[in-house]
């Protein structure tokens, strides 16, 4: 393998032809979050390894098997973030954001790293959009966060979205539930996969999340957490459902959703499309901030994987905005004309037009071919005769029609053209003659 010209497995290059789609998706999601009062946060790509051991939980696959951990030159163990929540909670504590002015509402778009078996839709470097809200414990917050995820995905035009919600209770009611779950799985211990046999000791709820078909089948008959909720947790969950109904957000209750983090409490949810379960997943968590040495503040958040989101949008034929096009290509012949082309190009760019001129020293024919290739709307050729006469031909590429334009008054005349000028009028006149 040519290692110098091959990217590491599970990573992607995002080429200029694709990045406008990414920018659009990121902008749309971040501005939806801004409508809900969420400001963007950016945290380091790597953190102390201990943060993820404590913050994600050492019974999760993410921490056990998938972390990119290395020792730096100062002999410290650092890890590329496998998810966003732990780093954000650390940043919130360190910067004193959990002290007052709660709730704290933050949104993010960044890369995450997991050493997973790379395949379509599963990468070792991937990107997430997500939010975290700290300090608000009531059901309205849960409904607001779910609504934000839902509306963000709706705004992107995703179709056939389904929202599934569940409550996994608080540590008090979960203790009872764990007991019942352990008893149930203990009876089927021999049939469980090796990982789930370990989970049985450490955290039996994780078995409900197992991807193996055998464990999945066994999990179907397991006790349901909803039957073990304490009164407070039941009230909370019922209120969340009422609020979602009031907001016209359709949902189903899925007792199988347990989510990966060790600290989830009460509401958990997933948004899926057919063929892509859990495109977005999130929930409420307690204990994380305290576990990291911060105040006792609850959080709730979600994350969605952007690679998968964009893949689904493309499959579903969702609209993406057109990327910025080239308004004008100025071709030139000779040194003096090339200088004038550069001067005009600079002037027009300052006015906000996307303009290009030759950088390759090509023939005019080759320059025009290039103008065509980049999809320039207009083109113009400058040579000695145009410089002498002070006038050139402005050509509309789509129709091939051209009209003279003054070099001395180029900007105002070009501006008029761009704002529905001569070409549009000519096209209209031609249409009238046709009729
Ligand atoms: P999680 O933190 O595991 O709940 O993941 C949140 C979202 O990130 C998921 O719903 C996926 O859409 C996405 N995701 C997780 N792992 C990967 C991966 N290896 N490659 C691409 N997307 C991922």
């Amino acid at each position: 393998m040519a290692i110098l010209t091959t990217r590491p497995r599970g990573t992607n290059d995002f080429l200029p032809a694709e990045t406008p789609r990414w920018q659009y998706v990121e902008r749309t999601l971040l501005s939806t979050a801004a409508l809900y009062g969420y400001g963007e946060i950016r945290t380091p790509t790597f953190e102390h390894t201990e943060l993820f051991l404590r913050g994600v939980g050492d019974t999760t696959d993410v921490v056990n098997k998938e972390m990119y951990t290395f020792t730096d030159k100062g002999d410290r163990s650092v890890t590329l973030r496998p998810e966003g929540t732990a780093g954000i909670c650390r940043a919130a504590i360190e910067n004193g954001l959990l002290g007052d002015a709660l709730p704290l509402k933050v949104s993010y778009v960044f890369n995450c790293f997991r050493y997973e078996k790379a395949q379509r839709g599963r990468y070792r470097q991937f990107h997430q959009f997500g939010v975290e809200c700290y300090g608000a414990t009531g059901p309205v917050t849960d409904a607001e966060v779910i609504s934000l995820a839902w509306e963000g995905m709706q705004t992107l035009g995703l179709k056939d979205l389904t929202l599934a919600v569940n409550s996994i209770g608080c540590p008090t009611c979960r203790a009872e539930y764990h007991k019942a779950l352990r008893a149930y799985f203990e009876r089927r211990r021999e049939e469980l996969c090796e990982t789930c046999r370990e989970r049985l000791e450490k955290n039996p709820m994780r078995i409900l999340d197992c991807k193996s078909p055998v464990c999945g089948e066994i999990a179907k008959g397991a006790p349901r957490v909803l039957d073990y909720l304490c009164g407070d947790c039941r009230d909370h969950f019922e209120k969340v459902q009422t609020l979602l109904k009031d907001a016209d957000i359709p949902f189903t209750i899925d007792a199988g959703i347990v989510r990966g983090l060790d600290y989830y409490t009460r509401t958990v949810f997933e948004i899926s499309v057919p063929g892509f379960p859990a495109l977005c997943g999130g929930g409420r968590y307690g204990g994380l901030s305290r576990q990291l040495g911060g105040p006792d503040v609850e959080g709730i958040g979600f994350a969605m994987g952007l690679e998968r989101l964009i893949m689904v949008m493309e499959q579903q034929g969702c609209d993406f905005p057109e990327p910025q096009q080239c308004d004008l290509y100025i071709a030139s012949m000779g040194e003096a004309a090339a200088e004038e082309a550069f001067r005009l190009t600079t002037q027009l760019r300052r006015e906000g037009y996307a303009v290009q001129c030759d950088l390759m020293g090509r023939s005019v024919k080759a320059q025009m071919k290039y103008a065509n290739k980049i999809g320039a709307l207009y083109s113009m050729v400058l040579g000695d005769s145009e410089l002498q006469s002070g006038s050139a031909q402005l050509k509309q590429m789509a129709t091939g029609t051209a009209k003279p334009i003054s070099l001395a008054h180029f900007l105002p005349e070009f501006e008029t053209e761009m704002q529905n000028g001569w070409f549009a009028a000519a096209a209209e006149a031609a249409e009238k003659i046709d009729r």
Side-chain angles (χ1 to χ4, degrees):
M1 182 174 77
I3 202 145
L4 294 184
T5 52
T6 309
R7 58 179 182 265
R9 186 186 290 278
T11 63
N12 287 300
D13 297 314
F14 299 92
L15 306 181
E18 303 157 56
T19 47
R21 295 186 164 205
W22 280 77
Q23 289 165 359
Y24 161 69
V25 167
E26 292 170 3
R27 215 173 37 236
T28 304
L29 293 171
L30 286 172
S31 44
T32 305
L35 293 178
Y36 286 72
Y38 287 73
E40 189 190 348
I41 189 166
R42 301 184 188 193
T43 62
T45 303
F46 62 90
E47 299 271 1
H48 297 298
T49 301
E50 292 85 338
L51 174 68
F52 301 114
L53 296 180
R54 288 278 190 110
V56 182
D58 52 12
T59 65
T60 59
D61 278 358
V62 170
V63 165
N64 276 338
K65 302 185 201 154
E66 296 168 1
M67 294 217 297
Y68 270 95
T69 298
F70 57 97
T71 307
D72 72 5
K73 291 201 166 72
D75 216 21
R76 291 175 208 94
S77 179
V78 291
T79 295
L80 302 181
R81 65 177 157 225
E83 52 89 61
T85 305
I88 289 171
C89 190
R90 192 268 313 137
I93 298 168
E94 183 169 350
N95 293 284
L97 305 182
L98 298 182
D100 43 33
L102 293 171
L104 171 69
K105 295 175 166 186
V106 291
S107 59
Y108 63 90
V109 170
F110 51 51
N111 52 357
C112 298
F113 304 82
R114 292 182 194 175
Y115 195 85
E116 295 200 74
K117 197 161 176 272
Q119 60 192 61
R120 197 173 138 76
R122 183 171 296 285
Y123 307 102
R124 291 180 177 173
Q125 178 187 243
F126 61 100
H127 297 78
Q128 286 189 340
F129 162 75
V131 309
E132 307 292 342
C133 174
Y134 288 100
T137 54
V140 180
T141 313
D142 305 33
E144 181 177 283
V145 167
I146 295 172
S147 156
L148 163 47
W150 181 259
E151 297 299 328
M153 293 172 96
Q154 293 284 348
T155 308
L156 289 172
L158 282 154
K159 295 181 257 296
D160 305 324
L161 291 174
T162 51
L163 163 67
V165 295
N166 189 24
S167 172
I168 56 171
C170 61
T172 318
C173 42
R174 214 154 47 215
E176 275 303 299
Y177 178 58
H178 273 192
K179 232 188 268 169
L181 210 52
R182 205 168 266 135
Y184 172 82
F185 284 123
E186 199 57 63
R187 289 197 292 277
R188 316 273 307 253
R189 170 185 271 276
E190 294 316 309
E191 298 162 70
L192 295 174
C193 74
E194 200 178 314
T195 321
C196 281
R197 265 179 258 157
E198 272 170 42
R199 288 171 174 149
L200 188 50
E201 313 303 331
K202 291 186 191 160
N203 188 347
M205 272 177 86
R206 237 347 85 62
I207 303 176
L208 303 175
D209 226 5
C210 184
K211 304 285 174 292
S212 127
V214 178
C215 300
E217 213 35 57
I218 300 173
K220 276 187 194 159
R224 284 162 28 108
V225 62
L226 291 175
D227 299 328
Y228 290 80
L229 295 186
C230 65
D232 284 351
C233 286
R234 200 172 308 124
D235 288 349
H236 184 100
F237 190 44
E238 265 162 25
K239 192 77 209 234
V240 172
Q241 294 176 52
T242 307
L243 291 163
L244 289 175
K245 280 182 200 146
D246 289 347
D248 284 328
I249 299 176
F251 65 91
T252 54
I253 295 172
D254 181 348
I257 302 177
V258 289
R259 307 289 313 149
L261 253 152
D262 269 354
Y263 298 105
Y264 278 105
T265 58
R266 294 193 166 169
T267 312
V268 286
F269 67 98
E270 288 179 353
I271 302 177
S272 306
V273 295
F276 270 99
L279 205 52
C280 168
R284 173 172 286 287
Y285 48 91
L288 174 58
S289 166
R290 208 182 37 226
Q291 182 78 14
L292 300 181
D296 190 6
V297 171
E298 272 189 30
I300 175 166
F302 65 76
M304 44 182 97
L306 294 184
E307 279 80 359
R308 292 182 198 175
L309 193 84
I310 290 172
M311 201 186 286
V312 173
M313 286 177 70
E314 285 169 353
Q315 276 172 11
Q316 293 190 342
C318 294
D319 286 335
F320 290 94
E322 292 295 323
Q324 164 90 344
Q325 61 211 355
C326 175
D327 295 320
L328 172 67
Y329 185 88
I330 308 182
S332 61
M333 210 176 0
E335 207 167 305
E339 270 177 31
E340 177 62 7
F342 178 70
R343 194 191 64 75
L344 271 177
T345 301
T346 309
Q347 185 193 13
L348 285 157
R349 285 175 181 156
R350 286 190 181 134
E351 298 301 319
Y353 292 107
V355 186
Q356 297 198 48
C357 60
D358 179 53
L359 299 179
M360 302 293 289
R362 285 186 176 124
S363 70
V364 167
K365 194 170 162 217
Q367 290 181 51
M368 291 310 290
K369 206 170 149 191
Y370 181 74
N372 235 324
K373 193 177 147 203
I374 62 173
L377 289 181
Y378 294 90
S379 72
M380 175 171 80
V381 180
L382 292 183
D384 289 342
S385 63
E386 281 80 9
L387 294 190
Q388 253 157 34
S389 67
S391 169
Q393 292 289 314
L394 181 67
K395 181 168 139 188
Q396 189 183 39
M397 298 293 279
T399 59
T401 44
K403 64 156 285 192
I405 187 162
S406 148
L407 297 183
H409 302 106
F410 191 86
L411 180 61
E413 288 191 25
F414 182 68
E415 226 148 32
T416 310
E417 291 313 327
M418 290 294 286
Q419 292 154 11
N420 213 5
W422 182 83
F423 290 106
E428 208 172 288
E431 207 174 288
K432 271 193 194 133
I433 293 166
D434 278 353
R435 273 191 249 130

